Structures are given as structure tokens and as C-alpha cells.
Amino acid sequence: MRRAALAFVLSIGTATAMAAQMPTAVLTGVVVDANTQAPVSEAVVIARSPSLVGEQSAITDESGAFEITWLPAGTYSLAVRRDGFEPYAPEPLTIKGGKVRVRIAVAPVPTPAAIVETAVEFEEHMTAPEMLSGPAPEYTPEAIERGVEGSMQIRCVVTAEGQVRACKVVKGLPFMNVAVVGALERRKYKPAAAQGKPVDVYYTFNIRLKLPSR
């Protein structure tokens, strides 16, 4: 029993020594507004890696600066989140040790007025938006109870980032307008393109609703 206990203690000591010898790094940087280059405070910067158990995060200070310590060497994905700004994930970052500094620019969420101002009408020579992900509209209990079915037309702006914004109901159905607009605005699209370049466009969605089978 003594030998077993001693071996166990030695094995813990060896593992601790090996962990102490593993190279670690410090990730520092600054988060700024992509439009004005002003520092962005209270942004959450999250670091994830197969080399890391769980994740590590830091919150930027008034100067937009952050620091994440004790990162093992490896390839990291970063994510930045801040109310009023688009979620952002830079390219994967390889960290080997020492101190690594990055500068991250995040784009403000455009206001509805700004989106409408920059959008152009979708035309046949453009590449149409293509849905990548997102929910289907869910029937409301009121619409099911009343047997609501039919076609709808929703005119929205599909942004160059693939988001659906500033929707207006052109042809609606009772008890379904809010549900359909909500589903559209939670979707992600491959944006419309003109001459290969993504553009903000006005786009009319033609949606056919059929009661769910019981």
C-alpha cells in the first residue's frame, strides 16, 4: 500500500511539472469601432481552442483593451460580442507562446434608416439572395383555430451581410404577419450580388402557408 501511494504522489508531481513546462501565452489587444476606429468598451472577447479546457474570456475596458492570460499553445478561434455591434469572429489565430497582440474592428448594427437609405431595388441581372439557415414560420394558435392558409408577400431589405431587416407586409394573412416577419428576420442569407459584389437590396418574399397536419 505504501508503494502504491508513493507512486500516485510521484505521478501527480510529474504531471504537475510537465504542465508547468508547457508554453503558455498572453493574448492582449484592443476592440474598436470599424467605422470610427473609436475604442469599444464592455465588449466580451471569448477565446476557444482544442488546447483549452472550456473557454476563456475578458471584457474590454474604457480604452477598448483586453487581456487573456495562461493560454496553452494552439490554434484559437475568437468571438467578440457587444450590444449595438454585429457579432464578430476573426480568422483562427495560432498562438505559440509569449505575448500576442491583436486589433479587432467590429461593425455597429446599422439602424433601420441607414439600411433603407443604402438599399437598392433587386433586379433580374443580380444574383438573388439564397437562404443559408434560419427558422420556418410557426403557425399561431389563433391561425390554426381559424384555418388560416394562403399566400403572403413580405417586402424586406436583405443586407450585404445576409441579414433580413426593415420588413413590411405587402399581402398578409390574419394572425400570421408578426410570426412570419419574425422568422424572416432571424434567418441568414447569402446576400444578393451585383457584378459579384454583395449589396443591400429590397427583396419581396413570396410565402405560401399551409396548415400543419394533425
Side-chain angles (χ1 to χ4, degrees), residues 61-104:
D61 62 18
E62 293 181 356
S63 65
F66 68 92
E67 180 177 278
I68 304 176
T69 59
W70 295 102
L71 295 177
T75 300
Y76 284 79
S77 62
L78 302 180
V80 182
R81 297 174 187 166
R82 172 69 160 84
D83 289 345
F85 290 84
E86 301 284 1
Y88 183 64
E91 292 295 321
L93 177 67
T94 299
I95 295 177
K96 297 181 179 179
K99 182 171 283 192
V100 179
R101 182 171 178 81
V102 295
R103 179 182 176 87
I104 302 173

